[in-house]
């Protein structure tokens, strides 16, 4: 088999790249090791409404479970901050359908798609990577390609095998545990997030509603924690008297929350999405980031093929670092400071912040928020809090 481009991984980033490159008229193969693309999911399935227009993805009810109007944040001792918008701000997807449909859109645009096809290694010829070795339905296959895209998620083997350094220390990953379960009593128009060092060290517990009484209920904590994410999630359910007897799914996953890959393209190999650690380090959301990286990467892949100049792939690294990379580095800085917050700080900050400010924090536009916090008497009178907040400016 020979293609212009082979894309390994049909999660979010892979199909976006495959679709865009196929639309430009080049031959593309998109492979995924899963027998059914999208399943099992490892995701809370929340995404901003903006991505549909921005990345040209149909707003299709087949994969939109629920429209969301905002978020509710809960501090360690129970202070609440509600951010409710008049318009829909996000959606909860059905990723099993969404991922498969993204692969379908790539196929419709002209890409070939092979499920149950696992990349096992790269092929090297005359000192350069000439494609990948894979197993398709357990049969070995060689796929030759001019450009190889590693969109193979957090465990990414292909980038590493191609000599791209994707190493990040354990502290730069979150461990996540999630039940899709029946749960009642939470406004299903909002996502719900609980913070606290005893509740979810470094992270948060989430309830992302699907239907009126079904939700993804999960947790992310620092993966170098001595206790497991499951331990904290089960404790939270017990402490809140929520019976865990109607569990429809159990998902375990690792989320990169830092350690962005420096070199996103090496010779003819490109790395995108979780494989490149392109995830928001504050909230662990990575679908929009994967779409953005996939869009930038595919632009330069198309140019490199059109101009028969593979060195143009380096512009993907450059452009990503000058745009989304720069933004996510700022968010990472915020994450590192929030790691030092005590439960009392979290209580105070959630009380003080207005809705718009909290939204800015999540998006990385936080200077106004810091300024607002620095005006509060309980901050002004605490040299430690002032020092923490000043680190962010
Ligand atoms: C518990 C949890 C909750 C999350 N919640 C959210 C959320 O609410 N919102 C959000 O935006 N993000 C969320 N994320 C993060 C989000 O899921 C990822 O950032 C996103 O899926 C990254 O997309 P990707 O295409 O880079 O990788 P993935 O979606 O992981 O896709 C990688 C694909 O590559 C395939 N693959 C791997 N190795 C090979 C191989 N050797 N050969 C062939 N195929 C291979 C895999 O089967 C997979 O389909 C969550 C993550 C976790 C773990």
């Amino acid at each position: 088999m020979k293609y212009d481009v082979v894309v390994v991984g049909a999660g979010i980033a892979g199909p976006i790249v495959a679709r865009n490159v196929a639309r430009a008229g080049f031959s593309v193969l998109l492979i995924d090791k899963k027998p059914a693309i999208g399943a099992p999911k490892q995701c809370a399935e929340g995404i901003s409404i903006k991505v549909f227009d921005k990345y040209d993805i149909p707003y299709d009810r087949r994969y939109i479970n629920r429209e969301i109007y905002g978020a509710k944040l809960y501090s360690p001792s129970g202070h609440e901050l509600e951010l409710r918008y008049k318009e829909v701000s996000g959606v909860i997807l059905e990723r099993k359908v969404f991922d498969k449909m993204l692969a379908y859109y790539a196929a419709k645009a002209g890409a070939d798609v092979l499920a149950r096809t696992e990349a096992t290694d790269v092929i090297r010829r005359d000192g350069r990577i000439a494609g990948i070795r894979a197993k398709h339905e357990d049969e070995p296959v060689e796929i030759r390609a001019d450009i190889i895209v590693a969109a193979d998620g957090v465990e990414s083997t292909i980038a590493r095998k191609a000599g791209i350094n994707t190493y990040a220390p354990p502290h730069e990953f979150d461990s996540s545990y999630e039940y899709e379960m029946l749960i009642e009593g939470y406004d299903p128009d909002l996502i719900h997030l609980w913070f606290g060092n005893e509740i979810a060290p470094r992270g948060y517990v989430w309830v992302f509603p699907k239907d009126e009484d079904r939700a993804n209920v999960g947790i992310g904590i620092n993966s170098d924690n001595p206790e497991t994410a499951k331990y904290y999630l089960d404790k939270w359910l017990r402490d809140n008297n929520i019976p865990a007897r109607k569990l429809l799914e159990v998902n375990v996953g690792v989320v990169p929350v830092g350690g962005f890959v420096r070199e996103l393209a090496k010779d003819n190999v490109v790395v995108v999405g979780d494989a490149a650690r392109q995830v928001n380090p504050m909230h662990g959301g990575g679908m929009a980031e994967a779409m953005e990286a996939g869009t930038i990467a595919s632009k330069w892949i198309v140019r490199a093929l059109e101009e028969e100049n593979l060195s143009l792939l380096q512009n993907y690294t450059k452009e990503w670092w000058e745009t989304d990379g720069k933004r996510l580095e700022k968010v990472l800085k915020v994450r590192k400071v929030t790691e030092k917050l005590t439960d009392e700080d979290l209580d105070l900050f959630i009380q003080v912040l207005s809705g718009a400010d909290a939204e800015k924090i999540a998006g990385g536009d936080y200077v106004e928020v810091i300024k607002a916090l620095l005006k509060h008497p309980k901050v002004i009178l605490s040299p430690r809090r002032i020092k923490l907040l000043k680190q962010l400016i």
Side-chain angles (χ1 to χ4, degrees), residues 41 44-47 49 52 58-69 88 90-98 180-181 188-191 208-216 248-249:
K41 72 159 195 248
E45 306 180 288
I47 195 160
I49 190 88
F52 295 93
Y59 195 73
D60 189 325
R61 296 283 163 180
R62 278 176 290 183
Y63 44 71
I64 293 169
N65 176 283
R66 188 166 194 93
E67 293 180 327
I68 295 292
Y69 290 83
V88 174
V91 300
I92 307 299
L93 295 165
E94 289 290 354
R95 270 204 67 177
K96 285 174 204 148
V97 186
F98 187 62
E180 185 173 324
M181 61 186 282
D189 289 341
L190 304 175
I191 57 165
F208 280 19
K210 298 176 87 170
D211 310 330
E212 297 294 313
D213 57 358
R214 180 165 66 107
N216 289 320
L248 307 173
E249 275 193 37

Side-chain angles (χ1 to χ4, degrees), residues 7-15 31-48 91-93 95 99 114 116-121 132-135 150-158 174-178 204 206 208 216 218-220 251-256 272-280 283-291:
V7 180
V8 180
I12 303 291
I31 66 167
D32 202 289
K33 65 181 177 184
K34 290 176 182 169
I37 288 172
K41 72 159 195 248
Q42 285 173 301
C43 192
E45 306 180 288
I47 195 160
S48 156
V91 300
I92 307 299
L93 295 165
R95 270 204 67 177
D99 289 20
L114 291 179
R116 209 172 175 218
T117 304
E118 179 169 6
T120 52
D121 208 344
I132 54 161
R133 280 179 227 292
K135 274 189 298 180
D152 45 350
V154 68
E155 289 155 32
S156 177
T157 48
I158 289 305
D174 271 1
S175 293
S176 299
Y177 209 87
E178 180 181 77
Y204 57 91
W206 66 77
F208 280 19
N216 289 320
I219 191 169
N251 299 131
V252 187
V254 173
V255 183
V272 279
D274 275 19
R277 322 295 177 221
Q278 290 160 322
V279 172
N280 183 309
H283 56 60
M287 286 192 278
E289 283 70 17
M291 290 172 188

Side-chain angles (χ1 to χ4, degrees), residues 85-261:
Y85 308 102
K86 287 197 186 71
E87 309 287 328
V88 174
S89 60
V91 300
I92 307 299
L93 295 165
E94 289 290 354
R95 270 204 67 177
K96 285 174 204 148
V97 186
F98 187 62
D99 289 20
K100 198 191 276 186
M101 290 298 283
L102 290 185
Y104 164 82
Y105 299 138
K108 289 276 279 181
D112 283 348
V113 179
L114 291 179
R116 209 172 175 218
T117 304
E118 179 169 6
T120 52
D121 208 344
V122 293
I123 301 169
R124 288 181 192 272
R125 291 238 166 88
D126 306 326
R128 70 181 283 275
I129 293 172
I132 54 161
R133 280 179 227 292
K135 274 189 298 180
H136 171 62
E137 305 213 53
D138 292 333
E139 292 296 321
V141 282
E142 282 198 358
I143 303 157
R144 286 185 300 116
D146 295 330
I147 296 174
I148 293 93
V149 179
D152 45 350
V154 68
E155 289 155 32
S156 177
T157 48
I158 289 305
R160 233 177 311 133
K161 284 192 187 269
I164 296 178
N165 183 6
T166 56
Y167 174 79
H171 191 65
E172 299 302 326
F173 293 90
D174 271 1
S175 293
S176 299
Y177 209 87
E178 180 181 77
Y179 300 121
E180 185 173 324
M181 61 186 282
L182 267 64
I183 186 167
E184 286 180 338
Y186 297 99
D187 184 339
D189 289 341
L190 304 175
I191 57 165
H192 301 263
L193 310 172
W194 285 261
F195 299 91
N197 293 303
E198 302 296 318
I199 295 170
R202 218 249 315 258
Y204 57 91
V205 166
W206 66 77
V207 169
F208 280 19
K210 298 176 87 170
D211 310 330
E212 297 294 313
D213 57 358
R214 180 165 66 107
N216 289 320
V217 180
I219 191 169
I221 63 163
N222 57 311
S223 63
D224 50 356
N225 195 290
E227 294 292 353
T228 63
K230 175 177 166 46
Y231 163 85
Y232 282 102
L233 180 59
D234 289 344
K235 182 173 178 304
W236 181 83
L237 289 167
R238 271 196 314 275
D239 291 350
N240 289 280
N241 293 319
I242 300 167
R245 283 190 298 274
K246 296 181 195 270
L247 309 181
L248 307 173
E249 275 193 37
V250 180
N251 299 131
V252 187
V254 173
V255 183
V257 285
F260 312 117
V261 171

